[in-house]
Amino acid sequence: MKKIYLYGNWKMNMLPEEGEEFCRSLADRISGRLYGSDLVDICLFPPFLAIPAVLKALPAGPVSAGAQDGYFEDRGAFTGAVSMTMVRSVGCSHVLVGHSERRHIFGETDEVVAMKLKKALNSGLKTVLCFGETLEEREGGKTIQVVQDQLLSAFQSVPEVRARDLVLAYEPVWAIGTGKNASPDDAQEVCAFAAKLALEAFGSGSLIPVLYGGSVKDSNAAELLSRQDIYGALVGGASLKVDSFLAIYENYRKAFTG
Ligand code: PEP
């Protein structure tokens, strides 16, 4: 059984007090052997304004918090932006970069994603680089090409010494928040391809985990997470409730331990 990365992206949900309540309830649920830090790595990605409350209430153990985005400049006239330095300074250990909602709703290009990635890693943040194809690209047989283009363009900006802080998250755009998930075989194929590209780019010294995201829930978790090259899940909707979030990891474990 491998160690599982269980990452929850709350998107634009949760007020500070709701985040705090989530953490209290998470703390009640995760005490005990099942949640050893050698078994699971949990990270919550609240909206910016809820981060301080979540950090304060975060249970001890294998749980950390990160931001959903960060800008590539440190400070200056960038209205509405929050820098990676700021994210780090409030106590976040992680950040998401290139989430499909940032790419498709806010128009972030591969170039912007690459600049954010470089800044995030240089700021000492564990950085989750999201990538994935649209439905049109998948139906046009372009998935592997699109994924390769996204990853290689981003990898160029990764400082070699920081590669060990990189986490990849394969999130097919058509599977995010839609209730449709990639089949375990399709998800495994793309995650294996991403792992191979990362190995070629950074060598075997930096073991870069690849997660799957896109409508992951308790009922499909075990099948997805037990695939060889899928090391965890980036979870949106199902991460908003402690029970549905933890059930993802627990169902995977049950599949092994009965
Ligand atoms: C996500 O936000 O990264 C995501 C995968 O969302 P959902 O699980 O709701 O599809």
Side-chain angles (χ1 to χ4, degrees):
M1 225 174 74
K2 63 200 172 206
K3 174 173 170 172
I4 288 296
Y5 294 77
L6 182 63
Y7 285 5
N9 174 15
W10 288 353
K11 311 194 186 194
M12 202 174 72
N13 297 293
M14 297 277 207
L15 298 171
E17 54 271 31
E18 292 169 330
E20 220 176 300
E21 177 52 37
F22 182 100
C23 289
R24 269 197 293 274
S25 152
L26 186 66
D28 286 346
R29 285 284 309 275
I30 68 164
S31 54
R33 253 183 341 111
L34 197 62
Y35 286 92
S37 55
D38 52 333
L39 297 171
V40 65
D41 174 340
I42 299 174
C43 188
L44 306 172
F45 294 87
F48 287 125
L49 292 176
I51 288 173
V54 164
L55 279 168
K56 226 162 98 208
L58 220 52
V63 192
S64 46
Q68 296 169 19
D69 186 35
Y71 198 50
F72 53 79
E73 296 285 358
D74 280 330
R75 59 180 67 225
F78 304 103
T79 301
V82 171
S83 72
M84 297 294 178
T85 319
M86 291 166 178
V87 164
R88 188 85 184 103
S89 77
V90 294
C92 287
S93 50
H94 291 59
V95 68
L96 301 181
V97 164
H99 189 278
S100 94
E101 285 149 18
R102 299 296 320 170
R103 292 178 190 262
H104 296 280
I105 301 174
F106 298 99
E108 283 186 14
T109 60
D110 282 349
E111 289 69 34
V112 169
V113 171
M115 287 191 283
K116 288 185 170 185
L117 178 62
K118 183 175 182 180
K119 191 69 191 180
L121 289 167
N122 278 334
S123 304
L125 291 160
K126 218 165 190 29
T127 307
V128 185
L129 170 65
C130 307
F131 64 96
E133 81 288 359
T134 62
L135 186 58
E136 201 185 349
E137 289 161 344
R138 171 156 287 271
E139 288 177 347
K142 297 190 186 130
T143 299
I144 291 294
Q145 189 59 54
V146 167
V147 162
Q148 174 163 306
D149 291 347
Q150 287 176 349
L151 289 180
L152 294 187
S153 123
F155 285 174
Q156 281 173 22
S157 73
V158 173
E160 218 174 300
V161 290
R162 300 280 180 199
R164 63 179 185 282
D165 285 333
L166 183 61
V167 175
L168 301 177
Y170 169 51
E171 298 209 304
V173 178
W174 49 270
I176 298 178
T178 58
K180 296 181 199 156
N181 60 285
S183 73
D185 285 346
D186 288 344
Q188 159 62 23
E189 184 197 0
V190 179
C191 290
F193 179 69
K196 177 175 110 17
L197 287 184
L199 187 67
E200 286 165 7
F202 307 115
S204 54
S206 319
L207 279 181
I208 296 170
V210 187
L211 322 186
Y212 168 78
S215 300
V216 179
K217 47 185 184 279
D218 55 355
S219 56
N220 57 25
E223 250 212 290
L224 284 160
L225 297 182
S226 48
R227 295 299 159 119
Q228 191 179 346
D229 293 286
I230 304 179
Y231 277 80
L234 179 55
V235 186
S239 73
L240 294 172
K241 295 265 183 299
V242 172
D243 282 347
S244 51
F245 187 45
L246 294 183
I248 290 167
Y249 164 67
E250 288 171 3
N251 281 7
Y252 161 76
R253 259 189 76 91
K254 252 186 249 153
F256 278 88
T257 55

